[in-house]
């Protein structure tokens, strides 16, 4: 049995804008999805979502990944067990993490010889099959780890402050939110396009701030990014409640991460106030997770037999 894991991510800047080629800065976090794979007589996929065979409704990413990898290897029966620290459909990149981890596990099991670049590319193709208009951000960051600027695929320095995630527990569909933004953009191009390009410009400005470790200024810009995400209609009262709870309890910054609508927000904390921010998020009705940036992307956890 082979076990691989891949991390989730938070966006410091650029969700939605990145779909239109603008820059984004995304940060892998130490919350991982683990996928174990072994050869078997049947095709079995087990996760919190249920136990199925190839199933494009319940396990779309894994099923597409198996089909895609079948073009490189003779995959007959396999048993796959998925365990995740990442809540599903919450903006933390759970779908990218499971996709990247399964590709790497099958890559090892069938000795396909895929490089990390190949894995990120294949992961992106699978996200596009399931989601439609998906950017390469989530799959690239989950594969490579660290802090990454997209579309430049440039690794930046690690973010050295505590990261607090607040989960609204409200499900959101990335596909639907991306399509709502696309409609708004085509209805009001002269208004929405400048908003998206201003979001993109924040990443360009922030690149140097990340190198300097200037989290206060990064935080200021993240808060501006939050306002622009609200402007393009991907906010919600649940997200705003957690964003303001975090800011009012001393967070450097707080904004939506991922597609929005529901899902998660992210706050940057100072060394001494992550616990206080987490408590404020919980008191406001969210689930808080304190985490940190990780340099490690997809990795082999164990290999038996
Ligand atoms: C979703 O995690 C981020 C979006 O920008 C979509 C994408 O990049 O594919 C909303």
């Amino acid at each position: 049995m082979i076990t691989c894991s891949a991390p989730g991510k938070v966006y410091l800047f650029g969700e939605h804008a990145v779909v239109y080629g603008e820059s984004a800065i995304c940060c892998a976090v130490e919350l991982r999805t683990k996928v174990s794979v072994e050869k078997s007589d049947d095709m079995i996929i087990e996760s919190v979502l249920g136990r199925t065979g190839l199933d494009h409704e319940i396990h779309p990413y894994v099923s597409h990944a198996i089909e895609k990898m079948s073009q490189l290897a003779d995959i007959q029966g396999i048993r796959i067990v998925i365990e995740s620290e990442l809540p599903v459909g919450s903006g933390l990149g759970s779908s990218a993490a499971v996709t990247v981890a399964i590709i790497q596990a099958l890559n090892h099991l069938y000795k396909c010889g895929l490089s990390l670049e190949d894995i990120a590319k294949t992961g992106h193709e699978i996200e596009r099959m399931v989601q439609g208009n998906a950017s390469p951000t989530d799959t690239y960051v989950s594969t490579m780890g660290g802090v990454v600027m997209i579309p430049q695929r440039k690794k930046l320095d690690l973010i050295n402050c505590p990261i607090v995630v607040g989960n609204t527990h409200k499900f959101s569909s990335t596909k639907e939110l991306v399509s709502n933004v696309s409609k708004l953009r085509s209805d009001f191009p002269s208004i929405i396009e400048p908003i998206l390009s201003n979001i993109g410009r924040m990443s360009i400005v922030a690149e140097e701030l990340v190198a300097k470790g200037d989290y206060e200024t990064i935080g200021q810009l993240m808060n501006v990014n939050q306002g622009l995400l609200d402007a393009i209609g991907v906010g919600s009262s649940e997200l705003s409640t957690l964003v303001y709870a975090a800011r009012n309890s001393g967070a450097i910054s707080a904004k939506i991460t991922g597609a929005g609508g529901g899902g998660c927000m992210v706050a940057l904390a100072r060394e001494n106030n992550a616990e206080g921010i987490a408590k404020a998020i919980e008191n406001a009705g969210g689930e808080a997770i304190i985490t940190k940036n990780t340099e490690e992307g997809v990795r082999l956890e164990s290999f038996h037999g």
Side-chain angles (χ1 to χ4, degrees):
M1 174 176 283
I2 286 186
T3 303
C4 288
S5 77
K9 57 95 214 353
V10 292
Y11 274 89
L12 298 184
F13 302 101
E15 49 274 90
H16 288 289
V18 73
V19 174
Y20 302 95
E22 298 292 344
S23 294
I25 297 181
C26 211
C27 174
V29 290
E30 202 39 83
L31 298 166
R32 306 185 77 89
T33 295
K34 227 192 259 180
V35 175
S36 301
V37 183
E38 64 186 351
K39 291 186 183 166
S40 152
D41 292 336
D42 303 306
M43 193 63 88
I44 304 164
I45 309 171
E46 291 177 32
S47 77
V48 285
L49 302 175
R51 182 184 155 102
T52 69
L54 275 188
D55 186 322
H56 293 92
E57 291 295 316
I58 296 178
H59 290 122
Y61 296 94
V62 179
S63 299
H64 278 292
I66 295 167
E67 284 165 358
K68 187 89 192 161
M69 292 299 283
S70 296
Q71 295 168 6
L72 301 176
D74 181 21
I75 301 176
Q76 296 295 326
I78 40 172
R79 177 168 169 260
I80 297 172
V81 180
I82 301 155
E83 294 163 283
S84 189
E85 296 165 344
L86 292 161
V88 175
S90 66
L92 297 183
S94 62
S95 54
V98 76
T99 306
V100 164
I102 179 83
I103 295 169
Q104 181 65 306
L106 294 173
N107 185 34
H108 279 293
L109 189 64
Y110 290 96
K111 302 186 174 41
C112 301
L114 296 183
S115 66
L116 288 180
E117 286 290 341
D118 297 331
I119 291 170
K121 188 165 167 279
T122 308
H124 181 216
E125 283 165 14
I126 290 162
E127 280 222 318
R128 284 180 68 91
M129 281 177 205
V130 180
Q131 239 168 263
N133 205 1
S135 79
T137 324
D138 292 20
T139 38
Y140 194 82
V141 177
S142 191
T143 306
M144 304 297 176
V147 177
V148 181
M149 194 159 170
I150 296 285
Q152 296 83 347
R153 293 170 193 242
K154 186 169 174 188
K155 274 252 186 156
L156 309 184
D157 289 346
L158 281 188
I159 298 294
N160 267 323
C161 64
I163 293 170
V164 187
V165 169
N167 189 354
T168 61
H169 283 298
K170 182 179 169 191
F171 179 78
S172 71
S173 156
T174 300
K175 189 174 181 174
E176 206 175 299
L177 284 146
V178 168
S179 126
N180 293 348
V181 172
S182 166
K183 178 161 189 322
L184 196 65
R185 181 174 172 263
S186 53
D187 287 348
F188 305 104
S190 64
I191 296 168
I192 303 302
E193 279 170 15
I195 294 179
L196 296 171
S197 75
N198 274 319
I199 293 177
R201 214 164 293 147
M202 279 182 212
S203 296
I204 307 288
V205 172
E207 183 185 353
E208 201 180 307
L209 301 171
V210 172
K212 283 193 205 150
D214 182 353
Y215 302 128
E216 298 293 329
T217 314
I218 290 170
Q220 255 184 325
L221 288 178
M222 284 172 70
N223 290 344
V224 176
N225 194 162
Q226 167 64 18
L228 297 183
L229 287 169
D230 254 335
I232 60 171
V234 301
S236 68
S237 56
E238 292 86 349
L239 281 164
S240 289
T241 300
L242 302 191
V243 162
Y244 281 101
R247 287 189 197 167
N248 292 340
S249 62
I252 301 173
S253 59
K255 65 178 272 294
I256 291 164
T257 179
C264 290
M265 46 72 67
V266 58
L268 294 189
R270 298 185 177 82
E271 276 316 320
N272 59 358
N273 70 356
E275 293 285 347
I277 294 165
K279 209 166 278 167
I281 287 172
E282 300 259 342
N283 288 341
E287 183 195 353
I289 309 172
I290 299 175
T291 184
K292 58 183 193 326
N293 188 195
T294 175
E295 188 62 78
E296 271 191 291
V298 66
R299 71 180 179 216
L300 180 64
E301 296 283 344
S302 61
F303 182 8
H304 299 294

